[in-house]
Amino acid sequence: MNRLAKRRHPSLHLLLLFTALTSVAAEPPKVEARHQQLLPSLTVDEQQLLRQQLRDYRLLANCQGNFSGQSANERVIGVWLPSPSGASVKRYALWRKDGSLQLHDIDAELEATRRLDNVYPYPWLFDPHPPKDDRYADTLCGVDDQFDDQSDTDYLTYLLGDRPLFDRQKAAADGQVVCWSTDDVYNNWDCILFDRQQQRFRLWFQQAHAD
């Protein structure tokens, strides 16, 4: 019996090592709480599609609006995704095209923006333990009506003469803007628009300075 136990011992170690390498960390409690709060806002078919394509996702942000210029029931979302290499936070869009529900990988489309437009989008900065500043790990949904120097918002400013990176009217006249917090200290944002001509999200405005 002792010899049999000794023969099985290395296998047990291999099993434990494999489990450790392939397991994913459980999401922080605040991530789960935020997910449970936001999940009912998704339709059943939206939840089903996300489960199919983004297994074990957790919903962190949900902006509903008209982003493609076709419907007011579209969504831009932020999700928490576990993986063996460490959890990641990513951005997606959900809407119907030709009657079919589609999922846009916003981060992948912004990477195309980096290469094609020679601009440098920043990732959305999300932390499950944010400081008291409400802007941290936040999103500004549909802020196009606030985006001018007469606005009373204290989020988007013109302190360094920032201006949009391209003409919105030519690319996405009917689409709404979404802005993502990109710094844990400064009032910094990346604002994105869906370009209907190029059929992808692009970085439209970037505020990246201390103010």
Side-chain angles (χ1 to χ4, degrees), residues 109-122 165-166 190 198 200-204 206:
E109 293 175 6
L110 290 181
E111 182 62 27
T113 292
R114 182 192 300 271
R115 297 193 307 270
L116 299 175
D117 297 345
N118 196 30
V119 294
Y120 299 89
Y122 289 108
L165 301 173
F166 60 88
D190 271 11
Q198 299 188 19
R200 63 180 173 88
F201 282 93
R202 299 172 63 192
L203 178 64
W204 178 63
Q206 188 172 66

Side-chain angles (χ1 to χ4, degrees), residues 1 29 35-36 43 54-55 72 77 80 83 127 142 166 175 184 203:
M1 181 63 70
H35 173 71
Q36 294 300 330
T43 65
L54 306 176
R55 184 179 176 182
I77 62 174
W80 183 93
S83 73
D127 191 317
F166 60 88
D184 61 349
L203 178 64

Side-chain angles (χ1 to χ4, degrees), residues 1-13:
M1 181 63 70
N2 288 339
R3 288 195 299 271
L4 179 61
K6 289 179 180 179
R7 285 200 299 269
R8 288 183 175 177
H9 189 63
S11 299
L12 178 60
H13 275 292

Side-chain angles (χ1 to χ4, degrees), residues 136-156:
Y136 188 52
D138 204 357
T139 59
L140 300 177
C141 303
V143 298
D144 51 303
D145 59 340
Q146 304 172 4
F147 198 91
D148 58 62
D149 53 8
Q150 303 301 317
S151 173
D152 59 0
T153 179
D154 62 347
Y155 296 100
L156 304 179

Side-chain angles (χ1 to χ4, degrees), residues 82-191:
S83 73
S85 60
S88 63
V89 174
K90 293 189 58 105
R91 295 166 286 186
Y92 294 90
L94 281 164
W95 59 61
R96 293 188 180 277
K97 183 175 182 181
D98 300 326
S100 175
L101 188 63
Q102 296 188 346
L103 185 67
H104 279 264
D105 186 333
I106 293 177
D107 289 299
E109 293 175 6
L110 290 181
E111 182 62 27
T113 292
R114 182 192 300 271
R115 297 193 307 270
L116 299 175
D117 297 345
N118 196 30
V119 294
Y120 299 89
Y122 289 108
W124 178 38
L125 187 68
F126 179 84
D127 191 317
H129 307 290
K132 294 181 179 179
D133 187 345
D134 291 336
R135 293 181 298 206
Y136 188 52
D138 204 357
T139 59
L140 300 177
C141 303
V143 298
D144 51 303
D145 59 340
Q146 304 172 4
F147 198 91
D148 58 62
D149 53 8
Q150 303 301 317
S151 173
D152 59 0
T153 179
D154 62 347
Y155 296 100
L156 304 179
T157 70
Y158 286 85
L159 293 183
L160 296 184
D162 297 317
R163 289 294 182 271
L165 301 173
F166 60 88
D167 186 348
R168 177 187 174 192
Q169 295 302 316
K170 292 182 179 179
D174 301 325
Q176 287 183 294
V177 183
V178 182
C179 298
W180 303 85
S181 174
T182 59
D183 197 278
D184 61 349
V185 176
Y186 300 120
N187 181 26
N188 289 348
W189 300 85
D190 271 11
C191 298

